[in-house]
Amino acid sequence: MAKAQKTFTCNACGASSSKWSGRCEACGEWNSIVEEVPLSAGPASKSLGGKRGSAIKLTDLSTEEAPPPRTECGMAELDRVLGGGLVPGSAILVGGDPGIGKSTLLLQAAAKFARAGLPTIYVSGEEASAQVRMRAQRLGLTDAPVRLAAETNLRDIMTTLDTERPALAIIDSIQTMWADHVDSAPGSVSQVRTAAHELTTFAKKRGISVVLVGHVTKDGQIAGPRVVEHMVDTVLYFEGERGHQFRILRAVKNRFGPADEIGVFEMTGKGLAEVLNPSALFLSDREDPAPGSVVFAGIEGTRPVLVEFQALVAPSSLSQPRRSVLGWDSGRLAMILAVLEARCGIPFAGLDVYLNVAGGMKISEPAADLAVAAALLSAREDAAIPKETVVFGEISLSGALRPVGQTENRLKEAQKLGFTAAIAPTRSKTGSGSGLKIQKMADLTGFVGEIFGAG
């Protein structure tokens, strides 16, 4: 029998090669390449799967069969992000920065699901059972019927789950799990991939929902090979800034619901509290109209959210002025500055530009272009935008303003929070029941001339 060829894998990016080297050619990391031991393939007659692996015709599937029932935990924000509740047999990966509150969120969710009648096991590979119980006592969850376990051996965990047969199992975290048949250290690419594959397959076979907690890298991505995110059904990121009490649970992948959906929580002394009206919370500390402050009416998933963009433009003594951005794409900021200079004749050379999204929120929507441009111009000209006005619209490289989707929902959310006016691109479908005074703009030059009296 021919000897299996050795494979070497980078712990940082997951790239594979046939020989070892001191530096990974894909990501440039040093001393990150380790030998990967391939999994042994058993005989075909004893392979797992059974009837699950057999093929059937698509036309044989009954259209009258009801979808698997979802279980709601009672936390409206979590149920929203999951797509309406927990689907039986689903695999969910939750990632976030250290200390952001992942374990707190999942312990509260485990207690909610257990109280809803779902047998739940919380397996901790980072803490002892007494430490988890101490956190549950602080959160007031000691009466919840959640079973706790502290274990890192994957074989023992699978045996326990197969014996207990819970409906929900939470594994905290996947980087601490190790399989005894894989010859590498816990947390390596081989161990993480093997543990995720075994647990995901087990979830599908037994109909048990499995939640995996994943660490993140310095770039904010879930550590380990990206194939783990492809294995699971749902990938959630728990985001937030240390200086803010807000926490955002964002779905970046969901096979059972909409992606890019968000749930907003507030960190308190007794754990995470739901925020049912995030727009009011993000704007609660907003002061009187000030230059550089603009409210943007955005959409996160299916929910309209109003956030405040803050800009500061100041003379720079540096040969290359600063461009500092928090909560938005720095490349898109450079594009907005270039369009303002090329199409409107407003230069920002020799000026430091600082842009911030208040409340620690992260915005990736192109509809925020016009709000950013308004904040920059307001800060540069030292002229405040009226406090009761919201702004949204996409800016093209020609300086034209493009309409954005779900305009009516944005306007309804703004009206609900007491705003009376809006600035939007022409051809926007505003509807007739918004009740706001809508000022429509065709291009950026007209916007500058109409709002700031120049251009």
Side-chain angles (χ1 to χ4, degrees):
M1 180 180 295
K3 187 177 180 180
Q5 186 178 5
K6 293 183 178 180
T7 303
F8 297 89
T9 306
C10 174
N11 280 332
C13 67
S16 299
S17 60
S18 58
K19 61 180 181 178
W20 185 89
S21 60
R23 185 182 185 186
C24 176
E25 296 180 357
C27 65
E29 288 288 333
W30 289 91
N31 300 323
S32 62
I33 296 180
V34 296
E35 182 180 353
E36 180 177 0
V37 179
L39 297 177
S40 59
S45 60
K46 296 183 180 180
S47 60
L48 298 177
K51 294 183 179 180
R52 183 175 178 268
S54 58
I56 60 174
K57 292 183 179 180
L58 182 63
T59 54
D60 292 342
L61 295 175
S62 174
T63 57
E64 298 180 358
E65 290 183 2
R70 297 175 183 263
T71 302
E72 296 184 356
C73 68
M75 297 175 68
E77 296 298 296
L78 178 59
D79 291 333
R80 170 195 290 271
V81 176
L82 291 176
L86 189 66
V87 177
S90 59
I92 302 168
L93 179 62
V94 181
D97 292 331
I100 203 69
K102 300 185 298 295
S103 299
T104 300
L105 172 67
L106 293 179
L107 188 59
Q108 290 183 235
K112 290 281 189 179
F113 279 116
R115 288 168 178 166
L118 216 62
T120 304
I121 289 182
Y122 188 100
V123 181
S124 176
E126 301 178 346
E127 299 175 286
S129 299
Q131 294 173 317
V132 178
R133 193 177 296 110
M134 186 186 305
R135 187 193 305 122
Q137 185 176 5
R138 177 174 58 85
L139 299 175
L141 306 176
T142 52
D143 61 333
V146 179
R147 285 169 286 180
L148 303 178
E151 183 58 63
T152 58
N153 190 314
L154 184 62
R155 189 186 301 273
D156 294 342
I157 293 173
M158 301 278 286
T159 302
T160 301
L161 296 181
D162 199 21
T163 304
E164 299 287 341
R165 292 295 179 92
L168 172 63
I170 297 176
I171 310 297
D172 186 9
S173 66
I174 189 64
Q175 273 82 12
T176 60
M177 301 295 113
W178 65 280
D180 50 15
H181 62 278
V182 177
D183 189 16
S184 59
S188 62
V189 171
S190 302
Q191 289 284 4
V192 171
R193 183 165 49 197
T194 301
H197 178 266
E198 294 284 351
L199 290 169
T200 303
T201 305
F202 181 82
K204 302 299 181 184
K205 287 183 60 180
R206 297 289 191 267
I208 297 174
S209 299
V210 175
V211 179
L212 310 176
V213 179
H215 297 164
V216 297
T217 62
K218 60 183 179 181
D219 298 329
Q221 302 294 325
I222 295 179
R226 294 303 297 268
V227 69
V228 174
E229 299 187 29
H230 296 292
M231 289 179 187
V232 298
D233 301 309
T234 304
V235 179
L236 308 179
Y237 277 86
F238 201 44
E239 306 169 351
E241 298 291 339
R242 291 296 182 93
H244 297 280
Q245 70 271 30
F246 311 130
R247 299 290 186 269
I248 297 172
L249 184 65
R250 187 185 303 273
V252 298
K253 171 190 175 182
N254 195 351
R255 290 174 179 158
F256 310 117
D260 294 328
E261 190 69 81
I262 67 168
V264 184
F265 299 86
E266 182 178 7
M267 181 63 76
T268 66
K270 295 185 178 180
L272 292 163
E274 298 178 75
V275 178
L276 301 180
N277 191 352
S279 299
L281 185 62
F282 288 134
L283 300 178
S284 60
D285 297 331
R286 188 166 179 250
E287 301 174 354
D288 292 334
S293 174
V294 174
V295 176
F296 164 61
I299 296 290
E300 293 290 337
T302 59
R303 157 188 281 173
V305 177
L306 269 60
V307 294
E308 179 186 4
F309 274 92
Q310 299 171 344
L312 176 63
V313 178
S316 176
S317 60
L318 303 175
S319 59
Q320 186 174 359
R322 292 186 181 92
R323 300 289 186 260
S324 179
V325 187
L326 290 177
W328 206 53
D329 184 16
S330 59
R332 201 145 186 102
L333 172 63
M335 185 200 79
I336 299 298
L337 294 174
V339 172
L340 285 172
E341 182 169 358
R343 304 302 179 189
C344 304
I346 302 177
F348 283 83
L351 298 173
D352 288 335
V353 176
Y354 302 90
L355 184 69
N356 176 48
V357 181
M361 186 76 175
K362 294 182 180 179
I363 302 296
S364 59
E365 208 183 353
D369 290 350
L370 188 57
V372 171
L376 294 173
L377 292 170
S378 172
R380 186 184 186 278
E381 302 299 326
D382 198 26
I385 299 289
K387 184 178 180 180
E388 65 278 359
T389 302
V390 296
V391 183
F392 57 90
E394 182 181 354
I395 298 176
S396 65
L397 292 179
S398 64
L401 299 182
R402 295 177 176 175
V404 297
Q406 302 192 44
T407 300
E408 296 184 27
N409 292 337
R410 302 174 196 262
L411 296 176
K412 288 179 181 178
E413 181 73 9
Q415 184 188 23
K416 186 170 64 175
L417 293 177
F419 289 85
T420 59
I423 301 176
T426 55
R427 304 192 312 274
S428 296
K429 298 179 181 179
T430 58
S432 58
S434 63
L436 299 180
K437 180 183 178 182
I438 302 173
Q439 201 170 358
K440 294 187 177 182
M441 302 291 177
D443 53 31
L444 194 57
T445 304
F447 170 78
V448 173
E450 183 73 21
I451 304 301
F452 298 98

